[in-house]
Amino acid sequence: MKYNLAVIEGDGIGPEIVRAAIRVLEQVAPGKFNYQQVIAGGRSIDQHGVPLTDEALATCKNSDSVLLGAVGGPKWDTLPGHLRPERALLGIRKELGLFANIRPARLYPVLKDACPLRKETADKGFDMVIVRELTGGIYYGERGRKQDSDGNTIAFDTETYNQTEIDRIAKVAFELAGKRRRKVCSIDKANVLESSRLWRERVHVVAKDYPDIELIDMLVDNAAMQLVKNPAQFDVIVTSNMFGDILSDEASQLTGSIGLLPSASLSSGRCGMYEPIHGSAPDIAGKGIANPIATIVSVAMMLRYAFDMNDEADRIEQAIEKTLQKGCRTIDILDNDTQPLGTNAITDAIIAELA
Ligand code: IPM
Ligand code: MG
């Protein structure tokens, strides 16, 4: 049996890194997947005038999983909000019900020197998973512009969460913590925001079903500070869409580069979307120097979560580690005097480990 994979290469470095990841996928699971190319984001705007066509969405919905590179770029930056490439991403997340975004951030021991923190802190290492709520909050709330009576322009975005949305993401975090170090840190801004106060209340209600998991609450500003002060304290973080977006970029840089961090976006069903957390990096697009590791690890997450192919996922992760141990580096994680490898060369090195 073959699985159907919807592939959105997207914009910028998207095509380069997705093709690299598919080469790795074919190495560990040859012939197991049908690839259906889906045009979305900037390329779709150019071809169809909209970031996501109904047909593209339908292909994603009917697939067993979606693999995405990145969307967006300066070319489309001045378009009105509803026509921007990012809309494709937000649309797919919402329409596929991908409410749980899993973003693991761990420091590869071999990349300690690429970690920007103090040596004592980096030496301790860290291994956390950020569980980001992905289909609610301010990214989906009511927004718009209006004028007050003085003709002053007002712009607004609304942070809204309902109890069901909070309960289900909290559950994902507790379940995950049960398979890890049994600690959940829920991050909010409950000292100011009402939506955060409901968030905190509900997370504590859900926690009653998980008596063996330790739960702490942390305010988001403090969390931003704790991440750079002592990242080893975190096991599973659960937070809202916007806070998760911001904190996951921060956490990624602690691992050495945003080019290393994968993500899985999951629904209550089986079909999920797998993508690196970084963007389309238009400044380096087409140069063949982008780090494909985040996308390759995203493929490993897909094998694990969507297809129960744990051995294959383990093999990919081990191959990446071995490749790094041999000193292979793309330019974003260069910490030695060797020449940086390009996207294809580091992919070849990973495939050589797998062969
Ligand atoms: C991410 C990205 C997206 C987000 C953008 C491109 C809309 O930053 O996946 O973290 O904010 O969710
Ligand atoms: Mg982001």
Side-chain angles (χ1 to χ4, degrees):
M1 179 182 131
K2 278 197 170 198
Y3 296 116
N4 291 319
L5 199 58
V7 178
I8 305 176
E9 292 185 344
D11 309 313
I13 59 170
E16 304 159 49
I17 54 176
V18 167
R19 284 169 205 171
I22 288 178
R23 282 174 58 212
V24 173
L25 180 55
E26 280 299 311
Q27 180 68 35
V28 292
K32 282 252 163 63
F33 294 90
N34 288 317
Y35 303 98
Q36 287 164 304
Q37 297 293 330
V38 175
I39 307 284
R43 264 163 86 189
S44 175
I45 297 172
D46 290 348
Q47 287 185 23
H48 306 292
V50 288
L52 184 68
T53 61
D54 292 344
E55 196 198 338
L57 181 62
T59 308
C60 294
K61 268 192 181 158
N62 295 327
S63 68
D64 294 308
S65 277
V66 183
L67 176 65
L68 180 134
V71 295
K75 183 176 175 192
W76 307 283
D77 267 352
T78 49
L79 290 170
H82 68 285
L83 286 177
R84 290 182 60 109
E86 290 80 1
R87 257 311 159 90
L89 207 50
L90 296 174
I92 295 171
R93 288 172 179 170
K94 192 69 168 182
E95 292 294 326
L96 270 64
L98 307 174
F99 68 90
N101 186 217
I102 315 290
R103 299 188 158 189
R106 76 183 171 97
L107 185 60
Y108 289 97
V110 61
L111 286 186
K112 268 182 190 159
D113 291 342
C115 172
L117 301 177
R118 269 194 204 152
K119 193 176 172 309
E120 318 81 274
T121 314
D123 281 347
K124 280 204 282 176
F126 59 84
D127 179 352
M128 71 183 91
V129 181
I130 298 178
V131 176
R132 169 189 176 193
E133 199 292 323
L134 202 61
T135 52
I138 197 164
Y139 290 14
Y140 290 93
E142 204 193 321
R143 65 170 54 90
R145 290 194 181 203
K146 55 189 181 189
Q147 305 234 306
D148 72 9
S149 49
D150 299 333
N152 202 3
T153 304
I154 300 168
F156 63 96
D157 299 272
T158 326
E159 172 87 352
T160 315
Y161 269 112
N162 67 43
Q163 155 175 355
T164 317
E165 289 170 321
I166 302 167
D167 289 10
R168 68 182 178 181
I169 194 72
K171 219 173 151 217
V172 169
F174 285 110
E175 292 288 335
L176 189 61
K179 297 183 196 137
R180 294 175 45 95
R181 302 196 309 276
R182 299 181 178 274
K183 280 170 64 175
V184 170
C185 175
S186 170
I187 295 175
D188 61 38
K189 188 69 186 171
N191 54 349
V192 178
L193 304 177
E194 195 54 34
S195 51
S196 279
R197 289 192 270 270
L198 179 64
W199 179 279
R200 194 174 278 211
E201 250 168 70
R202 294 308 310 177
V203 171
H204 281 265
V205 171
V206 174
K208 295 206 175 93
D209 293 336
Y210 299 91
D212 56 336
I213 310 263
E214 176 197 333
L215 168 65
I216 63 159
D217 302 299
M218 196 178 278
L219 295 172
V220 63
D221 44 355
N222 181 28
M225 188 258 281
Q226 293 295 335
L227 269 174
V228 291
K229 193 175 168 196
N230 177 18
Q233 72 186 286
F234 296 107
D235 179 17
V236 173
I237 284 175
V238 62
T239 191
S240 65
N241 202 341
M242 180 162 66
F243 295 159
D245 187 21
I246 299 168
L247 294 176
S248 60
D249 269 31
E250 185 186 355
S252 77
Q253 194 55 38
L254 303 182
T255 70
S257 166
I258 194 168
L260 297 167
L261 253 69
S263 83
S265 304
L266 308 174
S267 65
S268 45
R270 199 167 169 85
C271 177
M273 179 155 70
Y274 299 84
E275 53 171 318
I277 80 152
H278 61 70
S280 58
D283 52 324
I284 58 163
K287 293 188 179 162
I289 58 170
N291 187 347
I293 290 180
T295 317
I296 297 172
V297 191
S298 300
V299 161
M301 288 185 87
M302 175 182 83
L303 292 172
R304 210 184 290 286
Y305 284 106
F307 306 119
D308 293 324
M309 294 166 75
N310 293 311
D311 290 346
E312 288 83 349
D314 287 346
R315 284 180 59 212
I316 291 179
E317 286 167 0
Q318 285 158 11
I320 290 170
E321 235 170 308
K322 284 203 190 115
T323 305
L324 293 171
Q325 273 156 12
K326 286 189 172 158
C328 299
R329 301 282 187 276
T330 42
I331 194 149
D332 55 316
I333 47 174
L334 204 60
D335 57 1
N336 50 29
D337 296 331
T338 55
Q339 276 293 104
L341 297 183
T343 312
N344 286 332
I346 199 152
T347 307
D348 290 342
I350 293 167
I351 289 173
E353 287 300 334
L354 285 166

